[in-house]
Amino acid sequence: MVSYKEVQASNALINDVTAPRVAVFVGGTSGIGKFTIRALVATGASVRIYLVGRKSSEERMHAFIQELHAINPKAEVIWTEGEVALLAETKRICEAIKSKESRVDLLFLTAGYAPFGTRTETAEGLEIAQSLEYYSRMLFILHLLPLLSEAEAPRVVSVLGGGLERATIDLDDLDLKKPGNFGGVKAQMQYVAMNTTTLEKLANDNPNVTFIHSWPGSVNTGNVRRGSDPNSMWAWFVWLILEPLIGLLAFSDEESGQRHLFQSTSAAFGGRGVPWKGKLGINSLEKPADGLFLVNYKCDCTPNAKVMPLLREKALGKIWDHTQEVLRPYL
Ligand SMILES: NC(=O)c1ccc[n+]([C@@H]2O[C@H](COP(=O)([O-])OP(=O)(O)OC[C@H]3O[C@@H](n4cnc5c(N)ncnc54)[C@H](OP(=O)(O)O)[C@@H]3O)[C@@H](O)[C@H]2O)c1
């Protein structure tokens, strides 16, 4: 475990030289993304942050941006409106960022929710949570990789369930569209495994970029409630049992933000970034080198060594082919 003191000591070293100077946050309008933006801005470093979110959050975000400017006048936060569940919108947002920036240092991806309700599709025919937690995230990465490659210590962080992959992924129905094949836990595990396999492929193809798939543990953001059908048994269970339990076990907002800022900046993961004197993290290929890091809520890395070889052998090719097919019109 990386202690909270070590995390804070590392984050205290973030300055104009070591900070991610241009950062894109997708999902920074609430929860872990928002806490991490606050922690980054509070370092006092000169940063430019693209805060991507939907229209319904715009008003709230004006107040948040004012708060951030008061904390650190050197932080420029650019509100970037878009419906990121839609791949056409994701493409439009990326094009807008590409037209303004020549480099991106950090891409931080947290949009999504636990899909414990009825399967609902976007206008593009994708299950909403799968689009937010997988397809849209991968599309952001693919569009912004050329800009990430221009940075000195570029990093992509996808927050979902790194290290929790299971080998039981449904390869015959990757989008869980077949009647009766969709369920909350199954869907979330499917999206976790799809994240990890594709991120590992992208990490192998782009060794100059550090990739992290983070499992945040329990953070009391209301995320578990977002996907529930109102008045369902599940919604009652969440309200009466799960949320009070999360409230007891959860990290504070502040610690979650600091831990994710550490994951976004420390050289503990791959050797690039804010200097780290401790042991280097092990990547998904069990090496203390660059690549993909599966990082848990204690900031420990796991190669998930029992499952990853099976996913590489049996799932990676199918997931990558299918993903390319889905994303092709938006690349
Ligand atoms: N919190 C935890 O304990 C925990 C544990 C394990 C995994 N995770 C996963 O980690 C990720 C981040 O979690 P979090 O707790 O930070 O989540 P959160 O506070 O609920 O924030 C989720 C983000 O997704 C956006 N979003 C949700 N539904 C959307 C939609 N239909 N269209 C567009 N944007 C939408 C939200 O935008 P708005 O602000 O506009 O609503 C917000 O920016 C999620 O994928 C979550 O499932 C969380």
Side-chain angles (χ1 to χ4, degrees):
M1 167 159 173
V2 182
S3 73
Y4 190 34
K5 275 199 174 149
E6 289 173 301
V7 165
Q8 288 170 306
S10 175
N11 292 346
L13 299 175
I14 298 174
N15 54 34
D16 286 354
V17 178
T18 56
R21 270 186 277 162
V22 179
V24 177
F25 280 78
V26 187
T29 51
S30 306
I32 296 161
K34 192 175 177 192
F35 308 148
T36 307
I37 291 178
R38 195 180 271 127
L40 172 58
V41 167
T43 61
S46 181
V47 288
R48 180 152 61 251
I49 294 172
Y50 287 85
L51 171 52
V52 180
R54 50 187 166 172
K55 181 86 184 150
S56 53
S57 294
E58 185 170 4
E59 212 176 301
R60 278 194 301 119
M61 285 307 104
H62 285 321
F64 180 49
I65 290 170
Q66 276 180 359
E67 175 200 326
L68 295 172
H69 283 315
I71 297 172
N72 174 4
K74 278 158 63 188
E76 185 189 355
V77 184
I78 301 171
W79 169 248
T80 309
E81 194 222 305
E83 280 289 342
V84 295
L86 294 173
L87 300 181
E89 278 283 277
T90 298
K91 179 180 179 181
R92 180 186 65 76
I93 295 161
C94 289
E95 298 297 355
I97 294 171
K98 285 194 265 188
S99 73
K100 288 191 211 147
E101 298 294 339
S102 57
R103 64 184 258 187
V104 166
D105 300 81
L106 172 65
L107 175 59
F108 195 89
L109 303 160
T110 51
Y113 54 83
F116 288 120
T118 310
R119 189 181 194 285
T120 314
E121 291 189 350
T122 67
E124 294 168 345
L126 297 170
E127 195 276 312
I128 297 176
Q130 185 175 32
S131 188
L132 291 168
E133 293 185 336
Y134 179 64
Y135 289 117
S136 161
R137 293 189 189 192
M138 297 309 129
L139 191 59
F140 267 106
I141 298 172
L142 289 169
H143 269 288
L144 297 181
L145 264 172
L147 273 67
L148 285 156
S149 299
E150 294 299 318
E152 283 138 41
R155 194 163 299 199
V156 173
V157 181
S158 180
V159 179
L160 190 61
L164 298 181
E165 305 76 15
R166 293 183 197 155
T168 50
I169 180 165
D170 190 336
L171 293 175
D172 298 325
D173 185 18
L174 282 170
D175 296 342
L176 306 179
K177 279 187 166 184
K178 287 184 188 161
N181 203 20
F182 182 81
V185 174
K186 180 169 185 176
Q188 197 74 333
M189 295 323 296
Q190 186 93 346
Y191 309 160
V192 165
M194 290 176 86
N195 254 272
T196 292
T197 46
T198 300
L199 289 174
E200 188 181 80
K201 165 152 182 53
L202 294 172
N204 290 343
D205 293 349
N206 299 275
N208 55 331
V209 181
T210 303
F211 288 79
I212 290 187
H213 182 185
S214 159
W215 171 37
S218 268
V219 192
N220 199 5
T221 61
N223 186 270
V224 73
R225 198 184 330 123
R226 277 184 188 269
S228 314
D229 296 329
N231 283 323
S232 61
M233 288 277 283
W234 173 256
W236 281 97
F237 172 72
V238 167
W239 184 58
L240 287 173
I241 296 174
L242 202 54
E243 281 203 320
L245 200 64
I246 290 174
L248 283 177
L249 301 174
F251 280 103
S252 69
D253 300 355
E254 166 75 16
E255 181 165 352
S256 175
Q258 292 294 340
R259 284 192 174 274
H260 283 90
L261 179 60
F262 174 73
Q263 292 179 35
S264 301
T265 53
S266 172
F269 312 98
R272 285 181 289 252
V274 174
W276 173 249
K277 293 202 179 104
K279 238 175 118 183
L280 280 185
I282 300 287
N283 68 18
S284 60
L285 296 167
E286 302 185 49
K287 294 193 180 118
D290 48 29
L292 167 68
F293 296 85
L294 306 172
V295 184
N296 73 8
Y297 53 90
K298 299 181 208 159
C299 299
D300 288 334
C301 299
T302 170
N304 199 356
K306 279 191 182 151
V307 172
M308 285 306 293
L310 295 169
L311 287 179
R312 265 175 223 125
E313 189 196 333
K314 298 205 163 88
L316 176 66
K318 279 194 177 178
I319 292 173
W320 181 241
D321 289 348
H322 180 72
T323 302
Q324 281 183 299
E325 213 172 285
V326 173
L327 299 186
R328 195 168 292 121
Y330 309 99
L331 284 167

